[in-house]
Amino acid sequence: MDEEPERAKRWEGGYERTWEVLKEDESGSLKATVEDILFQAKRKRVFESHGQVRLGMMRHLFVIIDSSRSMEDHDLKPNRLTSTLKLMEYFVEEYFDQNPISQIGIITTKNKRAEKLTDLAGNPKKHIAALKKAVDSTCVGEPSLYNSLNLAMQTLKHMPAHTSKEILVVFSSLTTCDPANIYELIKTLNGLKIRVSVIGLSAEVRVCTILTRETGGSYNVILDESHFKELLILHVKPPPASSSSECSLIRMGFPQHAIASMSDQDAKPSFSMSHLDSAGEPELTLGGYYCPQCRAKYTELPVECKVCGLTLVSAPHLARSFHHLFPLEAFQETPLEEYEAERFCEACQGELKDKSVFTCLACKKVFCVECDLFIHDTLHCCPGCMQTDRMS
Amino acid sequence: FRLNIEGLLVYFPYDYIYPEQYSYMLELKRTLDAKGHGVLEMPSGTGKTISLLSLIVAYQKAYPLEVTKLVYCSRTVPEIEKVVEELRKLMDYYAKQTGVKNDFLALALSSRKNLCIHPEILHANIVVYSYHYLLDPKIADLVSKELAKKSVVVFDEAHNIDNVCIDSMSVNITRRTLDRCQTNVETLQNTISRIKETDAAKLREEYRRLVEGLKEANVARETDIYLSNPVLPDEILQEAVPGSIRTAEHFVGFIKRFLEYLKARLRIHHVVQESAPQFLKDIYEKVCIDRKPLRFCAERLRSLLRTLEIADIADFSAITLISHFATLVSTYSKGFTIIIEPFEDRTPTIANPVLHFSCMDPSIAIKPVFGRFQSVIITSGTLSPLDIYPRILDFRPVTMASFTMTLARTCLCPLIVGRGNDQVAMTSKFETREDFAVIRNYGNLLLEMSAIVPDGIVAFFTSYIYMENIVASWYEQGILENIQRNKLIFIETQDAAETSMALEKYQEACENGRGAILLSVARGKVSEGIDFVHHFGRAVIMFGVPYVYTQSRILKARLEYLRDQFQIRENDFLTFDAMRHAAQCVGRAIRGKTDYGLMIFADKRYARADKRGKLPRWIQEHLTDGSLNLTIDETVQLSKHFLRQMAQPFRREDQLGLSLLTLEQLQSEDMLQKIAQIAQQA
């Protein structure tokens, strides 16, 4: 009769004070709402990332997902685990969209142990499939920060020095069960230049503060689901490359896509090399990408050639990560009162109502806060400048 | 930077200033101008010490004739060290700004080993030491006697000052004390007979002096050179030492008789309580000791020890104690009570007789301080309600003010939990404290909190016995096991070594992410001296209202005295005392503006106006109507929300202009207006 016995109904869940979200600040008081501070921080991040910094485009990222008992908490709907995995799927897609020549791996930790869900790989489909499967797993015991960091480190330490080595921990529990002193491990991670960032789901934990501070990562705690998503998206953008990382030329192959139709008599169906290690049924396909070095065939890009080890990418992929190299410069912020001209945002055509307006330094067009963020976070080019370019 | 406080140029050694510091200095300046006493409450972590130091030093520099010396009294050695550190910073800043080599002499007396400084203290401009150097008559006489009248005296962390006063005047005599005293007497006797053979002239000289009387001391007092000593009452100075104890042998014989009498008094089987006159009458009837020679006991003993040139005074602590007792009991007919208990209440089978000569009036010990110095400042993070201190210490302050903490974000979250999820009231009230449901609800509260609060939680109980009972009960109910899945548990005990071990491990567990709970007791060592900054205390839970153990006879006598002499009702005093300890306990978690912490009061009685109103203003103003009578579930939700909010990045820039000011910001018109609201005059 009861189809979902283990999942509590919405009304059975925790007591919530939803009206608290709509908190009004008593005017004149010294209290500044946290939201305000957050907004300021967001703006600041935009500025920070727009200095002339080298960004690490080739990233090796391990995501550690806490799957301990505390992930069953219902404060994210339907529970923390499901919500987290959903957002991770989105994250993986975004990640490969923005970092086409990077790799990702997923580790889960529960019951004082850590295990690899997926190894470092550049194929989003495989990760997403694994994430989908993980939804049904049970959350038991305590997480082990030490074990999972150690596991990630074992793989990351063999990665070449010019790549950016990162770990992102989604940490729900407030405790960690470690077999050894974690501060030693933090030192080792720091020595290996592995950057560890943490997203906390419940509250600020001291050891995470230290961990992120020592390794140069960021530490944030979510307020609610949308904030969670926002924080994850922050990790999509590649971090500044550490100055000490080596510069080197990387060999890359740009395989051509050979299209063959069924009607073509010469076309021979063949297996893709990426099926070698996949558990799924191998499929015969006609067309594909052929490695320019050894002629091995692949159906999807980007991939590392199984035969000769060459990194295979497509030109559009590389072009997509191009904007990381030449980021759009920060717009100039001026208070609304000082702004004289017509109060229209160039992008959304809406009226400028916020405290301040933003002016592009190149084309002198004016934008509102929301559009400013959108332009810098998503578009990466100024629509005003594009227009003037075309005109001239 | 340099500040202008009502015409006084103050050097402040930091680049930023909290608005409340400015306000605090303003009040302090007014107190000094009026040459009166002050009571100032300002939350810890807002830079009380540096505000005090920089203002008073500036005042000293500006008006060297008005204020000659600063006497800064603090409670513990680490606190004294902190003061010295701040002072050093201030002096360096002065040297840098004015370019003049510093001519200020500051002196800190922290431990016993650097006690011998008598001549230096006269010249120092600033003296930093512990309360006892000023309040305890035994030490004050050695160290503080010659402090100039125009000194400013500051008592920091003074929320317990009345108890310090009382302790310094009270005497407890056990059988062991008497035995040691006996040995002392024998040693004295031997020394006397030896000296008599070798250097009889010395003893004769002493005798002559005693006939002359204590004229010197009298002259000194009249000319106002010395701080008066409560153990040396005025009448004594007018008279010569009575003949019966003038010679050394007679005096030792006298002490012996007194000792025998005390021994006899300790041989009892039931509790005796009597007043000082009753005691004197009894001693006269039994062993024919008059009141007059008793009064001279302390002075006479000191003279004897000096004459005999005994170097190691510490060995004679027992006999000194007895002589002080003799003098006090014969001098003060009011304000003291004598209670002789044949055994401790907890162990009625083991005979352990104790004579408590207990002071009930803190104003006796502190009266000379208020009388002598032109300004005495009493300050602490928790002094609410302010008006009670002048009443129990019997002085008239010119300023009484309480300051709030200006915050860029609400970093403290006081919550009053009154009910369990089953709606059973939560309280440590005597009638219901053993109630199964209450104990279970307390357990559930701790369990739920252990699951959502990161790192360290400190929980306070009202007494050791209560804690033991509850923990045992939790163990049986399996609650303890569940809590241990979330955090490790450490317990404070009466053993100091054990407790410091537990503390060390507790901090380690907070540091490495395991998380821990420290179960401790209000009024214990942890509740008073240990700070739980940042992750060492993200939440403090106060189980019950920490009323003092009301069955104690000493307390009952004191309450009676307060009612009769000061018109303070028993209940008012008990509530005041309980609330100041509760405030101390929960205040452990917030040690500054970047810190944050939950303060959970787990007893429905806290919601009552008479309790709530006695909390410090900086806690009260964050206690909204919505957080007065919560269930455990509601508490958990509010706490979760709070912890998430607080975990958001918080930088110095966010504070600037709100709770942290630069010089320009400070000087703006509306900021000065805001500052005026920070101080609330009581």
Side-chain angles (χ1 to χ4, degrees):
Chain A
M1 293 209 283
D2 202 346
E3 284 166 17
E4 296 173 314
E6 77 273 30
R7 191 166 296 171
K9 296 279 185 288
R10 181 70 185 243
W11 56 86
E12 290 171 347
Y15 172 85
E16 281 176 78
R17 301 168 72 123
T18 38
W19 59 89
E20 297 251 307
V21 182
L22 308 163
K23 196 162 53 187
E24 198 179 356
D25 196 10
E26 300 100 301
S27 55
S29 85
L30 290 177
K31 272 183 262 167
T33 50
V34 173
E35 282 80 12
D36 209 32
I37 295 174
L38 269 182
F39 179 75
Q40 288 299 326
K42 198 152 91 178
R43 277 287 312 164
K44 203 168 155 33
R45 264 197 306 269
V46 173
F47 281 114
E48 266 172 5
S49 57
H50 289 279
Q52 276 298 329
V53 283
R54 235 151 44 93
L55 299 172
M57 281 174 58
M58 273 192 94
R59 307 169 66 188
H60 289 111
L61 172 71
F62 259 114
V63 181
I64 297 172
I65 301 174
D66 184 352
S67 311
S68 65
R69 195 165 29 115
S70 64
M71 285 301 267
E72 280 177 352
D73 203 312
H74 300 297
D75 54 2
L76 300 177
K77 304 297 172 200
N79 63 16
R80 284 187 187 174
L81 183 75
T82 320
S83 173
T84 306
L85 292 176
K86 265 257 157 51
L87 286 173
M88 279 317 298
E89 285 176 31
Y90 174 73
F91 172 76
V92 168
E93 272 173 24
E94 283 290 303
Y95 177 85
F96 283 110
D97 193 51
Q98 300 276 321
N99 309 280
I101 51 174
S102 300
Q103 297 190 336
I104 208 170
I106 300 170
I107 291 172
T108 60
T109 171
K110 60 179 160 190
N111 234 344
K112 307 179 182 90
R113 286 193 196 85
E115 61 185 70
K116 260 186 206 160
L117 204 63
T118 56
D119 232 321
L120 269 188
N123 186 344
K125 279 189 187 158
K126 207 169 85 184
H127 298 299
I128 288 171
L131 285 170
K132 283 214 163 88
K133 230 167 79 184
V135 173
D136 296 327
S137 65
T138 52
C139 302
V140 281
E142 295 155 319
S144 174
L145 208 50
Y146 185 96
N147 286 341
S148 36
L149 287 175
N150 199 29
L151 188 64
M153 189 183 77
Q154 294 310 331
T155 314
L156 285 180
K157 73 178 171 193
H158 300 300
M159 292 301 151
H162 61 263
T163 62
S164 150
K165 292 173 276 189
E166 297 162 57
I167 299 174
L168 171 66
V169 188
V170 178
F171 203 56
S172 152
S173 174
L174 295 170
T175 67
T176 156
C177 187
D178 299 335
N181 187 353
I182 193 156
Y183 288 90
E184 298 291 321
L185 185 72
I186 293 176
K187 248 184 241 159
T188 323
L189 286 168
N190 195 15
L192 289 168
K193 300 207 168 43
I194 297 176
R195 184 197 316 261
V196 187
S197 297
V198 179
I199 295 178
L201 299 192
S202 27
E204 182 189 356
V205 180
R206 176 68 178 180
V207 71
C208 298
T209 316
I210 301 278
L211 172 67
T212 51
R213 199 173 62 202
E214 292 297 309
T215 58
S218 66
Y219 182 27
N220 294 95
V221 175
I222 64 159
L223 288 170
D224 48 34
E225 203 163 332
S226 57
H227 188 225
F228 189 9
K229 190 165 169 182
E230 220 167 84
L231 291 175
L232 269 179
I233 295 307
L234 283 181
H235 289 278
V236 167
K237 183 169 277 186
S242 54
S243 52
S244 55
S245 74
E246 290 169 29
C247 300
S248 61
L249 289 169
I250 307 159
R251 281 169 68 89
M252 277 186 191
F254 294 88
Q256 267 193 332
H257 193 210
I259 310 162
S261 61
M262 285 299 238
S263 55
D264 193 344
Q265 295 296 314
D266 299 334
K268 298 186 197 94
S270 58
F271 293 114
S272 158
M273 289 303 282
S274 57
H275 288 143
L276 275 179
D277 55 352
S278 76
E281 281 290 301
E283 260 178 67
L284 283 169
T285 44
L286 280 173
Y289 300 96
Y290 293 93
C291 173
Q293 198 161 262
C294 62
R295 305 298 299 163
K297 187 185 113 168
Y298 297 92
T299 43
E300 273 165 355
L301 290 183
V303 75
E304 192 179 319
C305 178
K306 285 277 176 326
V307 181
C308 61
L310 190 67
T311 310
L312 303 179
V313 292
S314 71
H317 276 145
L318 260 191
R320 252 201 329 242
S321 45
F322 184 70
H323 71 262
H324 294 314
L325 297 177
F326 303 100
L328 185 60
E329 258 185 72
F331 290 173
Q332 193 190 355
E333 186 178 350
T334 37
L336 187 58
E337 304 91 66
E338 288 170 30
Y339 179 67
E340 303 280 301
E342 267 185 276
R343 294 187 169 175
F344 276 106
C345 169
E346 192 65 30
C348 62
Q349 301 293 306
E351 197 190 338
L352 293 167
K353 279 181 275 188
D354 299 296
K355 274 194 297 236
S356 37
V357 295
F358 299 88
T359 318
C360 172
L361 294 172
C363 65
K364 306 292 178 207
K365 294 272 164 61
V366 179
F367 302 93
C368 68
V369 184
E370 287 301 319
C371 291
D372 171 59
L373 284 175
F374 179 71
I375 289 167
H376 282 97
D377 287 349
T378 316
L379 284 184
H380 305 293
C381 57
C382 170
C385 297
M386 302 281 275
Q387 211 172 18
T388 35
D389 279 356
R390 202 178 305 148
M391 305 258 258
S392 60
Chain B
F1 50 78
R2 268 175 277 185
L3 289 169
N4 183 347
I5 294 184
E6 289 187 348
L8 179 71
L9 182 71
V10 176
Y11 285 83
F12 193 76
Y14 294 96
D15 295 336
Y16 303 99
I17 186 169
Y18 294 140
E20 54 268 40
Q21 286 182 311
Y22 183 80
S23 176
Y24 188 86
M25 289 199 249
L26 219 57
E27 291 297 328
L28 196 58
K29 160 113 189 340
R30 286 172 191 162
T31 315
L32 297 184
D33 281 343
K35 295 194 175 34
H37 310 314
V39 181
L40 302 171
E41 177 185 67
M42 183 154 98
S44 47
T46 49
K48 230 179 356 234
T49 310
I50 191 63
S51 316
L52 270 166
L53 290 174
S54 38
L55 188 98
I56 297 177
V57 168
Y59 206 92
Q60 260 176 292
K61 295 235 177 197
Y63 311 104
L65 295 174
E66 301 288 320
V67 173
T68 51
K69 202 189 285 279
L70 162 64
V71 182
Y72 195 108
C73 304
S74 200
R75 221 171 24 168
T76 56
V77 175
E79 275 163 12
I80 291 173
E81 279 164 2
K82 233 171 63 195
V83 175
V84 173
E85 193 49 49
E86 295 279 14
L87 192 57
R88 193 163 289 145
K89 248 183 233 162
L90 181 66
M91 287 302 153
D92 288 349
Y93 186 73
Y94 260 100
K96 222 169 73 189
Q97 288 292 312
T98 56
V100 184
K101 183 88 180 73
N102 178 21
D103 54 351
F104 257 54
L105 178 63
L107 203 68
L109 312 179
S110 50
S111 63
R112 195 161 283 186
K113 51 179 190 280
N114 42 15
L115 182 88
C116 193
I117 37 64
H118 189 71
E120 287 170 43
I121 205 165
L122 287 172
H123 309 298
N125 299 91
I126 301 168
V127 183
V128 185
Y129 56 31
S130 142
Y131 282 6
H132 299 282
Y133 290 124
L134 205 54
L135 292 179
D136 195 327
K138 288 151 245 165
I139 315 174
D141 224 33
L142 288 174
V143 184
S144 314
K145 202 156 79 170
E146 293 169 26
L147 290 178
K149 190 171 169 28
K150 286 182 174 169
S151 305
V152 175
V153 177
V154 176
F155 288 103
D156 199 357
E157 304 290 330
H159 46 272
N160 266 343
I161 194 162
D162 54 320
N163 290 335
V164 177
C165 290
I166 282 176
D167 286 347
S168 71
M169 294 296 281
S170 299
V171 179
N172 290 328
I173 299 172
T174 60
R175 249 192 209 142
R176 230 178 119 233
T177 329
L178 294 181
D179 290 342
R180 279 184 24 230
C181 190
Q182 185 82 39
T183 340
N184 289 164
V185 169
E186 277 155 27
T187 330
L188 276 182
Q189 224 162 7
N190 294 338
T191 330
I192 290 169
S193 54
R194 204 182 64 232
I195 290 199
K196 210 165 187 185
E197 281 162 23
T198 55
D199 195 2
K202 201 189 257 176
L203 286 172
R204 272 201 301 281
E205 162 64 16
E206 187 199 21
Y207 184 85
R208 194 193 55 74
R209 239 188 318 145
L210 293 174
V211 175
E212 293 256 311
L214 303 164
K215 265 188 201 139
E216 280 167 52
N218 194 22
V219 169
R221 177 162 298 180
E222 270 165 9
T223 52
D224 204 34
I225 296 174
Y226 291 159
L227 171 70
S228 62
N229 183 341
V231 186
L232 191 67
D234 280 330
E235 304 91 82
I236 293 188
L237 299 169
Q238 323 285 339
E239 302 167 43
V241 174
S244 56
I245 56 170
R246 241 178 258 168
T247 66
E249 290 104 326
H250 288 169
F251 177 63
V252 172
F254 177 83
I255 287 277
K256 262 167 123 176
R257 206 145 33 104
F258 186 56
L259 205 58
E260 285 309 316
Y261 171 74
L262 289 180
K263 275 189 188 162
R265 286 305 301 267
L266 281 185
R267 246 173 265 131
I268 48 157
H269 299 289
H270 56 274
V271 179
V272 176
Q273 180 174 359
E274 57 188 23
S275 65
Q278 275 172 323
F279 181 84
L280 290 176
K281 186 160 175 280
D282 189 65
I283 198 170
Y284 183 71
E285 281 166 4
K286 295 260 172 62
V287 287
C288 284
I289 288 183
D290 216 350
R291 184 174 166 199
K292 201 171 162 196
L294 273 182
R295 264 207 288 204
F296 284 86
C297 243
E299 202 48 35
R300 181 68 190 86
L301 178 73
R302 202 185 352 236
S303 161
L304 182 65
L305 291 178
R306 220 169 20 225
T307 313
L308 299 182
E309 288 171 350
I310 287 165
D312 198 1
I313 307 278
D315 280 352
F316 287 87
S317 61
I319 195 166
T320 318
L321 192 76
I322 299 285
S323 76
H324 273 127
F325 167 61
T327 305
L328 285 171
V329 78
S330 52
T331 307
Y332 295 98
S333 53
K334 266 194 346 195
F336 288 85
T337 189
I338 296 163
I339 295 168
I340 310 175
E341 287 177 321
F343 46 73
E344 273 184 55
D345 274 353
R346 270 172 230 161
T347 51
T349 47
I350 307 162
N352 179 25
V354 185
L355 186 148
H356 301 281
F357 176 66
S358 86
C359 174
M360 295 180 299
D361 189 349
S363 66
I364 293 175
I366 206 166
K367 196 173 202 151
V369 177
F370 281 122
R372 175 160 177 80
F373 300 112
Q374 67 178 26
S375 286
V376 177
I377 312 290
I378 288 185
T379 185
S380 172
T382 52
L383 278 178
S384 294
L386 291 174
D387 58 332
I388 203 156
Y389 284 88
R391 277 166 81 190
I392 57 177
L393 297 179
D394 196 21
F395 71 103
R396 211 173 284 277
V398 293
T399 39
M400 281 202 282
S402 175
F403 303 86
T404 54
M405 187 150 44
T406 52
L407 293 168
R409 54 171 193 177
T410 331
C411 71
L412 64 162
C413 178
L415 301 171
I416 296 175
V417 193
R419 298 164 286 153
N421 290 336
D422 50 6
Q423 302 299 328
V424 175
M426 248 200 257
T427 172
S428 70
K429 208 157 71 182
F430 187 72
E431 300 86 60
T432 55
R433 58 162 57 174
E434 303 297 329
D435 194 332
F436 189 75
V438 171
I439 294 180
R440 188 189 56 219
N441 274 334
Y442 273 160
N444 281 338
L445 175 65
L446 188 61
L447 175 61
E448 298 277 338
M449 294 311 287
S450 73
I452 59 154
V453 177
D455 302 325
I457 299 180
V458 191
F460 288 101
F461 293 85
T462 52
S463 69
Y464 283 106
I465 317 173
Y466 190 46
M467 176 167 78
E468 278 163 27
N469 282 345
I470 283 199
V471 172
S473 179
W474 284 349
Y475 176 74
E476 281 161 23
Q477 294 174 35
I479 292 175
L480 222 50
E481 198 188 319
N482 286 330
I483 293 175
Q484 269 172 322
R485 269 200 262 162
N486 297 326
K487 288 189 192 306
L488 302 179
I489 298 178
F490 297 94
I491 299 182
E492 180 191 5
T493 64
Q494 270 152 316
D495 184 336
E498 241 174 48
T499 302
S500 61
M501 179 79 169
L503 256 175
E504 198 180 296
K505 292 289 163 200
Y506 167 82
Q507 291 178 337
E508 200 181 316
C510 293
E511 194 69 51
N512 69 19
R514 185 65 192 80
I517 296 176
L518 184 67
L519 303 179
S520 47
V521 169
R523 295 162 198 281
K525 181 185 165 215
V526 170
S527 73
E528 277 289 330
I530 316 270
D531 290 350
F532 295 96
V533 284
H534 295 289
H535 57 290
F536 292 130
R538 283 296 180 217
V540 176
I541 306 177
M542 183 73 237
F543 289 113
V545 184
Y547 279 116
V548 66
Y549 175 61
T550 47
Q551 298 306 304
S552 138
R553 293 185 186 83
I554 300 175
L555 180 74
K556 276 184 178 161
R558 188 175 171 199
L559 289 176
E560 214 167 279
Y561 185 83
L562 281 173
R563 193 188 54 208
D564 295 346
Q565 298 296 319
F566 296 112
Q567 288 78 48
I568 297 171
R569 280 185 299 151
E570 281 113 328
N571 244 330
D572 283 350
F573 181 78
L574 286 176
T575 311
F576 150 72
D577 185 63
M579 291 313 288
R580 72 170 160 186
H581 279 103
Q584 267 300 305
C585 290
V586 297
R588 298 287 105 198
I590 307 270
R591 304 320 275 182
K593 294 194 175 184
T594 51
D595 205 349
Y596 64 88
L598 288 158
M599 299 175 166
I600 294 171
F601 298 93
D603 194 311
K604 67 164 190 185
R605 288 176 292 171
Y606 282 111
R608 284 198 218 145
D610 68 315
K611 307 274 186 309
R612 197 153 40 99
K614 288 193 170 71
L615 284 172
R617 197 169 142 233
W618 57 276
I619 297 180
Q620 249 186 77
E621 70 178 0
H622 295 289
L623 204 55
T624 54
D625 286 346
S627 53
L628 286 188
N629 188 14
L630 304 169
T631 64
I632 293 176
D633 262 2
E634 289 165 330
T635 311
V636 167
Q637 288 304 325
L638 285 175
S639 306
K640 261 187 174 173
H641 182 72
F642 172 76
L643 287 168
R644 284 206 173 128
Q645 295 267 311
M646 286 304 116
Q648 301 310 316
F650 183 64
R651 294 174 316 267
R652 171 181 257 165
E653 297 90 85
D654 301 327
Q655 277 196 52
L656 262 182
L658 289 171
S659 59
L660 194 68
L661 304 175
T662 59
L663 188 56
E664 298 91 70
Q665 285 168 327
L666 182 67
Q667 280 160 346
S668 74
E669 239 351 90
D670 47 324
M671 185 47 80
L672 288 175
Q673 243 164 41
K674 267 184 202 160
I675 286 174
Q677 291 164 12
I678 291 170
Q680 191 184 51
Q681 307 291 336

